[in-house]
Amino acid sequence: MINLTINGKKVSAPEGSTIMEAAKLAGIEIPHLCHCPGIHTNGSCRICVVEIEGMKKLMASCIVKAQEGMVVHTSTERVRLARKIVYDLLISNHPKDCMACARNQSCELQALGGTLGILETHIHGEASPRRVDISPSITRDTRKCILCRRCVTACHEVQGVGAIFAQNRGFNTVIAPALGKPLNSVDCAMCGQCTVVCPTGALTETDGMEKVWAALTDPTKRVAVQVAPAVRAALGEEFGMTPGETVTGKMATALHDLGFDDVFDTNFAADLTILEEGTELLQRLTAALTGGEAVLPMITSCSPGWIKHCEHAFPTEVDHLSSCKSPHTMMGAVIKSFYAEKIGIDPKDMFVVSVMPCTAKKYEIQRPEMQNDGNFNVDAVITTRELARMIRTMGIDFTNLEDGSFDAPLGFSTGAADIFGVTGGVMEAALRTVYELVTGREMPGSNLHLVPIMGLEKIKEAEIKFENVKPEYAFLEGVTAKIAVTSGLKNADVLLTQVRNGTSPYHFIEVMGCPGGCINGGGQPRIRNNVPNYKELRIEALYNEDEGKPIRKSHENPDLLALYRDFLGEPGSHLAHELLHTTYTPRGHFNEWLDPDFQRKQAMEEMLIAE
């Protein structure tokens, strides 16, 4: 520990702490902008400057280490004036259309003005050039970028994708893909981690609300909505509730109040995914152990950001991906087939909305593979943040809502489905079913949990041995299945490099595209600096949901068993494959922009945007 003085207070802090971290221990918040805990720290904005006795210059508190005996002042007149000047310069070329901005009242730049006591501005520069890039998942507005580079760090250092970076110099600096090309023409995974860390409206999810509002007011459409498991562990944060406070019942009530005809739970389709994916894993293991052809390890396919990244970065390994669609597209396919038939409605008149913690799912639903009989499985995706905006628009008092429930027959789920939202959850849910199907006994572990794959470690490993198996699975007797779990695309690259090199020791790998899994998806409530353990709290909430349910194994879901009995037949059936399975597109690294025809097309689009 080291000892220093901050604003007259004696402070003890661990050696290696920054001044900002030491101040926080003393209950002193230092204003900042580019700093993003756990993601990005480079002191570029200079908002967090402080005065240190014995030093001539003001120092950036987010990067300067606290020293023994140091005397720091965080709010002298000199410091306050410097911050106001820096802020004035930051917004001198920034759009002043706050009222029409998607980040209005949730913008860190806007909030910082209030913190600094900015009542008027004195510096007025030339407005930044307008360049709006709208991809299926992410919308970029370069006018609103303050060059904090948080997004660059998230894309390069956290995810390891490198789709965007700073280009040019000085006033001409811009954060963009290579050659300023659109996101949709480069290797962007559409994961949306850049939108989570962006402090302004420069990077946001592409709007999905207008299509949903239009469908809700269209008398010719029956509008069904489904909600992913991670949403219930984070939605409350948008209304001032504690991170990790589950709002499942309130959320169901709010969706009914918004006017949706059917309110279903993607958790039902998570259980469905386990039966299909578990069956596929057993088929691959059977083939591998009986002399047939099988591609192992099998890799989960629930994360569309991960799928797109794999198609780009590891195009030769796509056969390792499970052929199962993600749960919400499975649900869309079931709604537009089984449910539409059940209630006597033409599937073309069904409009399916997914509420997701993910921006990549906005991209996923427009993939040509995600349709059956000419109907896309899902018609619109809105994020957790967008659902909160819709609830506020309708004037719904969310925190005081009574608990409601999801609708039958696609609203019941087991505890295994809830943990799909956490890293390791899909693997654990799958093994609960696979182990019991093979042995007739519950999976060994602590309260049905496979402890080694729980938590936020980058790469987690475990083994599970099949002993005393059923006669039909005699070939698995004594086999030890080796599994690995990871989240975040940079970590996934480590495992996929092993697969590509033929050195992977695993049979089954789970990959979630966002660090921590869906609880930290690109469409979730943005990072809360005052609650550093928000990921752990959201994870705990979903494990509590799991443990609080009477049925915790997907293959015991009675409504799911009825779906197979009355419609699908059995897991892996011909109809199940038609509706619930898909194929992938090896893309490799994009180089379309080298093609003259593509360049002309992009030039035309840029002209239209400019007009």
Side-chain angles (χ1 to χ4, degrees):
M1 302 293 287
I2 58 171
N3 300 292
L4 66 159
T5 302
I6 304 178
N7 293 351
K9 288 184 177 182
K10 299 294 182 181
V11 181
S12 292
E15 187 174 359
S17 300
T18 63
I19 293 174
M20 180 179 288
E21 291 167 341
K24 193 174 183 68
L25 292 174
I28 300 169
E29 290 288 340
I30 298 177
H32 57 272
L33 188 56
C34 70
H35 175 67
C36 188
I39 303 290
H40 177 77
T41 297
N42 73 352
S44 61
C45 75
R46 318 308 282 186
I47 287 291
C48 71
V49 292
V50 295
E51 194 167 357
I52 303 173
E53 290 187 12
M55 292 188 180
K56 292 183 179 180
K57 295 181 179 179
L58 299 180
M59 307 301 290
S61 62
C62 70
I63 57 173
V64 175
K65 301 296 184 184
Q67 302 293 329
E68 181 69 34
M70 184 180 274
V71 179
V72 180
H73 304 281
T74 71
S75 193
T76 63
E77 184 177 356
R78 181 188 177 197
V79 167
R80 293 197 304 272
L81 178 60
R83 288 176 182 160
K84 287 185 177 182
I85 292 173
V86 169
Y87 185 85
D88 218 351
L89 288 167
L90 277 171
I91 66 171
S92 63
N93 64 345
H94 195 80
K96 306 301 190 293
D97 59 348
C98 296
M99 297 293 287
C101 178
R103 291 297 298 274
N104 187 31
Q105 298 186 55
S106 68
C107 171
E108 292 181 45
L109 183 63
Q110 185 184 58
L112 181 62
T115 299
L116 299 181
I118 303 296
L119 299 178
E120 58 180 325
T121 57
H122 304 87
I123 304 172
H124 304 285
E126 183 179 347
S128 298
R130 184 167 192 251
R131 177 68 174 92
V132 179
D133 172 17
I134 303 176
S135 77
S137 294
I138 299 166
T139 295
R140 295 172 50 243
D141 186 345
T142 57
R143 297 173 304 161
K144 298 175 181 179
C145 178
I146 58 172
L147 302 177
C148 68
R149 291 170 171 77
R150 286 185 185 181
C151 59
V152 176
T153 300
C155 191
H156 284 252
E157 302 301 324
V158 177
Q159 292 292 68
V161 175
I164 53 176
F165 52 94
Q167 299 170 60
N168 306 324
R169 301 182 67 182
F171 287 109
N172 295 320
T173 302
V174 64
I175 308 297
L179 302 181
K181 294 301 173 184
L183 278 175
N184 212 26
S185 67
V186 296
D187 300 352
C188 174
M190 303 292 170
C191 69
Q193 288 301 303
C194 57
T195 72
V196 175
V197 299
C198 179
T200 68
L203 286 162
T204 60
E205 63 267 65
T206 296
D207 178 59
M209 295 180 292
E210 286 305 312
K211 286 181 66 176
V212 178
W213 286 123
L216 287 171
T217 56
D218 185 346
T220 69
K221 296 292 183 184
R222 185 179 181 100
V223 187
V225 66
Q226 55 170 314
V227 192
V231 176
R232 68 207 67 201
L235 178 61
E237 296 172 37
E238 289 284 325
F239 300 95
M241 300 171 74
T242 305
E245 187 172 346
T246 50
V247 293
T248 310
K250 293 180 186 298
M251 182 176 65
T253 299
L255 290 168
H256 281 110
D257 289 351
L258 281 169
F260 288 100
D261 298 299
D262 302 289
V263 178
F264 296 139
D265 194 353
T266 309
N267 278 12
F268 177 90
D271 282 332
L272 177 60
T273 300
I274 290 303
L275 265 65
E276 290 299 318
E277 197 167 76
T279 299
E280 183 181 3
L281 176 62
L282 284 174
Q283 289 172 344
R284 294 197 191 198
L285 288 173
T286 301
L289 295 170
T290 57
E293 293 186 4
V295 179
L296 290 173
M298 189 176 90
I299 307 173
T300 58
S301 54
C302 294
S303 169
W306 150 241
I307 296 299
K308 188 171 187 292
H309 178 67
C310 184
E311 291 174 331
H312 286 304
F314 299 92
T316 59
E317 311 309 320
V318 295
D319 287 345
H320 288 272
L321 298 169
S322 165
S323 66
C324 292
K325 292 178 179 177
S326 65
H328 86 117
T329 50
M330 278 194 183
M331 177 69 97
V334 170
I335 290 172
K336 291 190 177 185
S337 56
F338 163 75
Y339 185 67
E341 179 182 305
K342 181 180 179 69
I343 61 176
I345 286 186
D346 189 325
K348 290 183 174 60
D349 296 327
M350 294 290 304
F351 191 93
V352 177
V353 179
S354 296
V355 183
M356 296 286 123
C358 176
T359 56
K361 292 187 186 295
K362 291 174 178 279
Y363 168 86
E364 179 188 30
I365 63 169
Q366 50 88 61
R367 291 179 62 125
E369 302 93 339
M370 298 304 166
Q371 56 181 312
N372 294 95
D373 299 325
N375 298 311
F376 279 99
N377 299 148
V378 176
D379 300 289
V381 167
I382 58 174
T383 63
T384 308
R385 298 189 295 257
E386 288 179 298
L387 174 59
R389 290 174 63 187
M390 291 185 70
I391 291 171
R392 285 192 288 266
T393 297
M394 283 291 287
I396 296 171
D397 183 3
F398 185 81
T399 57
N400 290 315
L401 288 177
E402 293 185 0
D403 286 348
S405 58
F406 296 107
D407 297 332
L410 305 176
F412 181 85
S413 63
T414 71
D418 287 289
I419 58 175
F420 262 58
V422 309
T423 173
V426 176
M427 177 69 72
E428 182 178 305
L431 291 176
R432 287 182 190 180
T433 288
V434 170
Y435 189 87
E436 189 159 326
L437 290 178
V438 170
T439 68
R441 303 183 305 278
E442 285 190 346
M443 181 184 72
S446 174
N447 194 18
L448 280 180
H449 294 309
L450 195 56
V451 177
I453 62 172
M454 299 172 74
L456 291 170
E457 291 81 9
K458 292 181 179 179
I459 295 176
K460 298 167 287 187
E461 300 174 314
E463 295 182 349
I464 187 162
K465 189 173 184 178
F466 294 103
E467 295 180 299
N468 300 317
V469 301
K470 295 178 180 178
E472 60 267 35
Y473 294 109
F475 57 88
L476 281 172
E477 181 63 41
V479 171
T480 298
K482 297 182 178 181
I483 60 176
V485 169
T486 192
S487 64
L489 300 176
K490 188 174 184 178
N491 299 324
D493 286 351
V494 175
L495 294 176
L496 262 291
T497 299
Q498 293 178 359
V499 172
R500 184 171 59 192
N501 294 341
T503 60
S504 174
Y506 308 112
H507 297 93
F508 193 19
I509 297 174
E510 178 200 306
V511 176
M512 286 293 168
C514 294
C518 298
I519 50 95
N520 191 43
Q524 290 283 70
R526 291 182 172 86
I527 291 171
R528 295 179 55 142
N529 293 337
N530 59 333
V531 188
N533 63 331
Y534 68 96
K535 291 181 191 176
E536 289 86 349
L537 292 171
R538 292 174 183 173
I539 288 173
E540 183 181 0
L542 292 183
Y543 279 123
N544 288 339
E545 286 273 290
D546 163 35
E547 293 168 4
K549 287 188 174 179
I551 303 177
R552 298 179 58 203
K553 292 170 283 189
S554 297
H555 58 280
E556 295 179 354
N557 183 330
D559 290 353
L560 180 57
L561 296 177
L563 174 67
Y564 276 106
R565 182 187 66 241
D566 300 336
F567 186 68
L568 291 174
E570 62 182 8
S573 69
H574 177 72
L575 180 57
H577 265 275
E578 279 190 356
L579 293 174
L580 311 177
H581 293 252
T582 187
T583 57
Y584 304 104
T585 304
R587 301 173 192 274
H589 291 291
F590 271 154
N591 59 0
E592 289 179 312
W593 46 269
L594 294 174
D595 179 64
D597 289 335
F598 182 79
Q599 290 180 4
R600 282 193 290 271
K601 179 183 176 184
Q602 292 302 309
M604 290 285 290
E605 290 181 358
E606 288 170 8
M607 287 174 58
L608 290 171
I609 289 172
E611 290 174 1

